[in-house]
């Protein structure tokens, strides 16, 4: 069996997963930066793998480097990846750097109804990144801070920029930082849960993408849907994994 | 016709020549990328290429010549304006809906920012002096459909000679009576404009001409049921777009030629995409020239569009006007009845639209339906939800897209469309 590589070029990070058959051989990642193609080249020091599938918003771009590669959308790739990790999952939530997707999973990881955020960054990883920066914290520290909150104010603005203004106003009013941080996390979770409901949320729910590494987001999703989501060890590798597995099943 | 002669004509129409040149350059590039790059196009598409390349040139010259010969030019924004009457009055009718971002900042001084791009575009084209059609009009006809247009016409009326038709919001007997009286009022407005009475003979003749155009479009629509698809959705949309400004008789003849070629192609089992390519029906807001963004994204994502359920599409040609009445009043009644069948989202309720979409998808063998809503268009945004439920009931996969004339969301839309097409394969 030949090795198949899945490459996921997202807005914030690039992941590679190599599989043989159903078995994962290696995983690597790099930040996207302003020069994603150089980053991709660096991820393949020994040249491109014999078979490659590309997903993510940069999938068309990658074809300039690897004209032989196949492409699939991140929606399909995440669905296949999530279904391989959690065959029982019925719904998928993927919150990445710039996109949020809710997908109803059909048997075998096929895609049923799906929703994706529109062009604005509200409800995506970017929202948390942006607001964490406004607090002068890393996203990890921002999540830790939020976990300590107990009485989150309602952040009504869904626009990333206005939410920051709202947070500043709340601070000036003396609301605790931890509570504001929690409120901001709740705002994005509320938005994504609304998307989940539109595709017909059913348990179990697989939660993947970079934001699934954020413990506060995971806790809030669980609270909002009423059960704990299934989160893989490396949730941001799901798209690359799905692309690789899809390729392994696709005749060359 | 030389470019210099065109330029002189544009100058006489008081266009902003520099901005207009830039607009034509962008349009040409866009057309090249989206249209001329297509594989296996019909030969008859040369007509489309020619009309489009001369959209601000030869067609405007013809219109100027008609004006010089004493004809009046009437501009419209909506398929509720009865073309039969306009032609019967001896006028030229042109559609003024615009599908490109132009003069947006200027437009936002007259209409609120959260107005759909279609409205902003026609206001912007006027204010930025970019549209030779608007500048050629002797009368511009508006209609009370959505709130955005209704209020925009109040502002537009200060810039152009306007007549606004009242289009009812419901479809009861009193609404039909209202629209019938509005048809009478439009006839009077035309008679005032031309100084001549509309006669029964002229209206009968105009009705035949407009019906012939509709029949040609219906024929084209039916041929698209073939698999492989004999024409791309982009080209079919362009045919519908051109129907709003080319000479109606020439248009009818050319579309029938195109259909002849399609029939030959179908008989040979040929098409623009391989047999079995996922087939999509587009439904929703009208796409005016050069709004080709969504069709292009769809057809570069491995699918082919087999129908347009919109006013620049099937809704405009679905119903014929009864040609049997002999006296003028009965003919005007027939017009009112024909136009009140239009299932625009501005009506309440509008259940027939849902039935039409499901039936059309079935006739055309569509594998799924994509609903296009223009950002800030409330009527179609509401119906996007209802169409979704109706398609679920009909067992048709459905994708609702809301977008505008900007290109910033192209990447994200492509992902959604590709993923949708993947689910159909
Ligand atoms: S969608 Fe409605 S308002 Fe718009 S052109 Fe069609 S009938 Fe007129
Ligand atoms: S697209 Fe919608 S809001 Fe815009 S003019 Fe048409 S009906 Fe009105």
């Amino acid at each position: 069996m030949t090795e198949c590589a899945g490459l996921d070029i997202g807005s914030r990070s690039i992941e590679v997963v190599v599989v043989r058959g159903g078995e994962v051989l290696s995983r690597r990642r790099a930040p996207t930066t302003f020069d994603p193609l150089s980053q991709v080249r660096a991820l393949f020091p020994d040249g491109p793998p014999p078979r490659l599938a590309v997903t993510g918003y940069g999938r068309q771009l990658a074809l300039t480097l690897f004209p032989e590669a196949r492409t699939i959308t991140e929606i399909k790739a995440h669905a296949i990846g999530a279904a391989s990790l959690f065959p029982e999952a019925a719904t998928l939530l993927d919150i990445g750097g710039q996109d949020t997707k809710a997908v109803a999973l059909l048997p075998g990881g096929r895609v049923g109804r799906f929703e994706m955020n529109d062009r604005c960054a509200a409800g995506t990883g970017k929202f948390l990144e942006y607001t964490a920066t406004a607090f002068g914290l890393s996203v990890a520290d921002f999540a830790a801070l939020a976990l300590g909150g107990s009485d989150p104010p309602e952040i009504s603005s869904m626009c990333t920029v206005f939410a920051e203004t709202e947070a500043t106003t709340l601070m000036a009013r003396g609301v605790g930082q931890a509570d504001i941080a929690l409120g901001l996390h709740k705002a994005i979770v509320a938005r994504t849960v609304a998307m989940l409901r539109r595709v017909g949320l059913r348990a179990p729910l697989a939660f993947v993408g970079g934001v699934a590494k954020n413990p506060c987001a995971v806790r809030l999703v669980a609270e909002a849907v009423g059960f704990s989501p299934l989160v893989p060890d490396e949730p941001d590798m799901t798209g690359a994994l799905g692309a690789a597995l899809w390729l392994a099943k696709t005749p060359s | 016709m030389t470019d210099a002669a065109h330029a002189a004509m544009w100058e006489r129409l008081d266009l902003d020549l520099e901005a207009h040149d830039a607009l034509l350059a962008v349009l040409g590039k866009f057309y090249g990328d989206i249209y001329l790059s297509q594989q296996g196009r019909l030969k008859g598409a040369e007509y489309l290429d020619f009309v489009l390349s001369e959209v601000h040139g030869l067609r405007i010259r013809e219109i100027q010549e008609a004006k010089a010969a004493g004809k009046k030019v009437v501009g419209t924004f909506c398929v509720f304006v009865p073309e039969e009457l306009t032609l019967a009055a001896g006028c030229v009718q042109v559609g003024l809906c615009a599908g490109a971002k132009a003069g947006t900042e200027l437009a936002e001084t007259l209409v609120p920012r959260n107005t759909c791009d279609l409205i902003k575009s026609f206001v912007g084209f006027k204010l930025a002096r970019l549209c030779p059609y608007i500048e050629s009009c002797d009368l511009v006809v508006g209609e009370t459909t959505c709130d955005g247009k209704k209020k925009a016409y109040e502002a537009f009326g200060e810039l152009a000679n306007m007549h606004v038709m009242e289009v009812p919001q419901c479809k009861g007997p009193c609404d039909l009576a209202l629209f019938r009286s509005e048809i009478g009022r439009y006839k009077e407005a035309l008679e005032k404009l031309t100084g001549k009475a509309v006669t029964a003979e002229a209206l009968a003749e105009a009705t035949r001409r407009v019906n012939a155009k509709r029949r040609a479009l219906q024929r084209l629509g039916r041929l698209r049921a073939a698999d492989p698809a004999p024409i791309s959705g982009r080209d079919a949309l362009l045919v519908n777009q051109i129907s709003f400004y080319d000479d109606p008789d020439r248009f009818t003849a050319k579309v029938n030629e195109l259909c002849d070629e399609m029939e030959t192609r179908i008989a040979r089992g040929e098409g623009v995409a391989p047999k079995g390519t996922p087939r999509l029906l587009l439904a929703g807001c009208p796409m005016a020239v050069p709004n080709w963004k969504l069709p292009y994204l769809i057809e570069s994502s491995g699918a082919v569009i087999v129908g347009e359920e919109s006013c620049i599409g099937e809704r405009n040609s679905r119903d014929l006007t009864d040609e049997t009445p002999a006296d003028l009043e009965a003919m005007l009644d027939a017009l009112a009845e024909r136009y009140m069948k239009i299932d625009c989202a501005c009506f309440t309720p509008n259940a027939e639209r849902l039935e039409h979409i499901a039936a059309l998808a079935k006739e055309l063998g569509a594998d799924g339906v994509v609903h296009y809503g223009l950002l800030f268009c409330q009527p179609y945004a509401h119906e996007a939800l209802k169409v979704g439920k109706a398609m679920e009931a009909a067992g048709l996969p459905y994708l609702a897209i809301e977008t505008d004339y900007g290109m910033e969301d192209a990447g994200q839309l492509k992902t959604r469309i590709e993923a949708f097409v993947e689910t159909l394969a």
Side-chain angles (χ1 to χ4, degrees):
Chain A
M1 252 181 284
T2 39
E3 289 178 11
C4 289
L7 172 65
D8 182 356
I9 308 183
S11 63
R12 314 296 299 165
S13 61
I14 303 173
E15 291 85 19
V16 177
V17 172
V18 181
V19 303
R20 184 184 291 121
E23 186 201 346
V24 175
L25 301 180
S26 65
R27 303 192 256 210
R28 304 188 283 281
R29 71 162 69 78
T32 302
T33 73
F34 284 110
D35 187 4
L37 286 184
S38 301
Q39 297 293 90
V40 168
R41 253 186 244 113
L43 280 168
F44 295 106
D46 310 323
R51 297 192 70 205
L52 175 67
V54 202
T55 186
Y57 99 108
R59 64 190 179 284
Q60 300 297 339
L61 188 68
L63 292 180
T64 57
L65 266 192
F66 311 118
E68 305 295 313
R70 307 279 298 264
T71 60
I72 67 169
T73 64
E74 48 269 46
I75 294 172
K76 184 169 178 172
H78 277 95
I80 294 173
S84 79
L85 297 165
F86 307 113
E88 68 281 23
T91 316
L92 168 66
L93 173 63
D94 163 39
I95 312 184
Q98 197 168 273
D99 290 332
T100 296
K101 299 162 205 100
V103 183
L105 293 173
L106 304 176
R110 283 188 306 118
V111 173
R113 274 166 75 162
F114 65 88
E115 289 262 340
M116 193 170 155
N117 64 303
D118 46 34
R119 67 182 82 188
C120 101
T124 70
K126 190 139 207 139
F127 179 90
L128 287 178
E129 227 175 82
Y130 189 87
T131 43
T133 314
F135 274 74
L137 294 175
S138 70
V139 179
D141 291 342
F142 186 54
L145 173 69
L147 280 172
S150 54
D151 186 14
E154 181 147 354
I155 310 280
S156 53
S157 180
M158 257 304 143
C159 164
T160 313
V161 178
F162 285 125
E164 191 205 338
T165 317
E166 224 176 309
T168 321
T169 314
L170 288 166
M171 260 185 250
R173 237 193 270 147
V175 180
Q177 294 220 356
D179 285 340
I180 297 173
L182 184 57
L184 288 164
H185 277 77
K186 277 193 100 147
I188 107 157
V189 168
R191 176 115 170 177
T192 52
V193 169
M195 285 170 76
L196 282 171
R197 300 218 186 279
R198 284 201 293 273
V199 303
L201 171 66
R202 285 183 306 133
L205 167 70
F207 182 11
V208 305
V211 174
K213 288 197 272 191
N214 177 323
C216 183
V218 175
R219 193 185 89 193
L220 292 173
V221 167
E223 283 172 15
V225 301
F227 52 85
S228 294
L230 307 165
V231 182
D233 289 341
E234 294 194 75
D236 48 347
M237 290 282 175
T238 316
L241 173 67
L245 292 173
W246 169 75
L247 190 63
K249 287 223 169 92
T250 311
S252 49
Chain B
M1 198 59 54
T2 64
D3 284 357
H6 284 348
M9 172 175 74
W10 295 328
E11 192 158 11
R12 277 196 301 281
L13 288 169
D14 194 27
L15 298 190
D16 178 340
L17 291 183
E18 208 174 300
H20 182 255
D21 281 350
L23 175 79
L24 289 189
V26 173
L27 184 67
K29 159 106 180 47
F30 206 44
Y31 191 75
D33 291 348
I34 295 183
Y35 278 90
L36 302 178
S37 64
Q38 294 181 95
Q39 303 291 319
R41 244 174 132 208
L42 292 155
K43 245 189 105 309
E46 279 169 13
Y47 160 65
L48 307 179
D49 293 344
F50 182 70
V51 174
L52 205 93
S53 68
E54 287 294 342
V55 60
H56 280 194
L58 283 183
R59 182 60 186 142
I60 294 298
R61 172 141 334 250
E62 282 181 348
I63 289 174
Q64 295 310 314
E65 282 163 8
K67 278 171 78 99
K71 283 201 170 201
K72 300 290 178 193
V73 179
V74 176
T76 64
F77 298 104
C78 172
V79 299
F80 265 100
V81 182
E83 188 177 2
E84 292 91 332
L85 266 182
T86 315
L87 298 185
C91 302
V92 177
Q93 178 166 317
V94 290
L96 297 177
C97 278
K101 259 194 201 303
T104 308
E105 276 112 66
L106 289 172
E108 285 175 0
T109 63
L110 286 188
V111 298
R113 285 192 60 202
N114 58 351
T115 299
C116 85
D117 268 355
L118 199 139
I119 295 173
K120 270 191 203 162
S121 178
F122 74 68
V123 177
F125 267 96
K126 172 75 193 164
L127 292 174
R129 296 185 290 124
L130 286 170
C131 176
Y133 290 92
I134 294 183
E135 301 311 323
S136 300
C137 284
D138 299 292
L139 178 70
V140 172
V141 188
E143 75 306 317
T144 60
T145 43
C146 69
D147 287 353
K149 275 184 167 181
K150 232 161 31 195
K151 301 307 281 185
Y153 296 143
E154 290 175 17
F156 204 80
E158 311 207 340
L159 310 168
N161 178 29
M162 272 208 91
H163 171 86
V164 177
M165 291 181 77
E166 182 167 355
V167 173
Q169 310 277 292
C170 302
K171 291 197 174 163
C174 63
D175 303 299
L176 179 64
L178 168 67
F179 195 63
R180 171 63 179 83
S181 77
E182 283 297 293
I183 288 199
R185 219 167 53 81
Y186 179 49
K187 178 173 147 295
E188 282 160 25
L190 287 167
E191 288 171 336
K192 192 167 143 235
L193 182 71
T194 62
K196 281 187 288 244
V198 171
T199 64
E201 292 71 39
L203 184 53
E205 171 60 16
T207 302
R208 273 193 294 277
R209 288 168 69 201
V210 178
N211 273 346
K213 173 157 111 168
R214 293 181 183 131
R215 283 195 185 93
L217 287 167
Q218 288 176 355
R219 181 178 168 209
L220 182 122
R222 277 194 304 271
L223 291 173
R224 293 170 77 190
D227 187 13
I231 186 170
S232 69
R234 272 166 281 177
D235 276 327
L237 172 64
L238 190 56
V239 170
N240 278 293
Q241 290 173 334
I242 286 176
S243 76
F244 285 88
Y245 56 85
D246 200 15
D247 172 77
D249 307 319
R250 172 172 56 210
F251 175 83
T252 302
K254 287 291 176 187
V255 172
N256 276 318
E257 280 172 29
L258 201 66
C259 290
D260 294 341
E261 191 189 346
M262 283 165 71
E263 277 170 0
T264 319
R265 216 178 226 209
I266 292 167
R268 285 204 219 112
E270 292 169 8
V272 289
K275 194 177 167 69
T277 300
R279 302 161 64 85
L280 297 176
L281 172 67
L282 255 184
C285 291
M287 293 178 180
V289 173
N291 181 8
W292 304 309
K293 167 176 155 181
L294 199 54
Y296 176 61
L297 288 174
I298 291 175
E299 295 198 328
S300 58
S301 298
V304 62
I305 298 166
V306 294
E308 297 78 26
E309 184 276 336
S310 90
C311 283
I312 302 185
E314 198 259 353
R315 187 175 301 128
N316 186 35
S317 58
R318 184 191 304 139
D319 304 303
L320 299 177
T321 302
D322 186 0
E323 293 177 22
T324 50
D327 71 279
L328 191 59
E329 291 305 309
M331 286 179 188
L332 297 175
D333 292 345
L335 278 183
E337 270 160 35
R338 187 282 170 191
Y339 281 86
M340 284 298 282
K341 282 189 198 141
I342 296 172
D343 55 348
C344 167
C346 294
F347 281 88
T348 182
N350 192 33
E352 60 268 38
R353 175 164 176 243
L354 306 179
E355 290 156 24
H356 280 141
I357 297 175
L360 191 61
K362 198 157 164 263
E363 278 160 36
L364 295 169
D367 302 305
V369 174
V370 176
H371 194 279
Y372 158 67
L374 201 45
L375 192 64
F376 303 129
C377 168
Q378 226 179 21
Y380 282 90
H382 273 276
E383 293 212 346
L385 301 171
K386 299 182 120 180
V387 176
K389 291 207 183 83
M391 293 308 106
E392 197 174 336
L396 277 161
Y398 177 71
L399 178 69
I401 281 176
E402 192 173 72
T403 185
D404 60 14
Y405 292 176
M407 287 310 272
E408 311 85 60
D409 60 346
Q412 214 160 23
L413 287 180
K414 188 136 176 35
T415 299
R416 290 178 60 194
I417 294 162
E418 274 183 30
F420 181 62
V421 174
E422 281 169 347
T423 66
L424 304 174

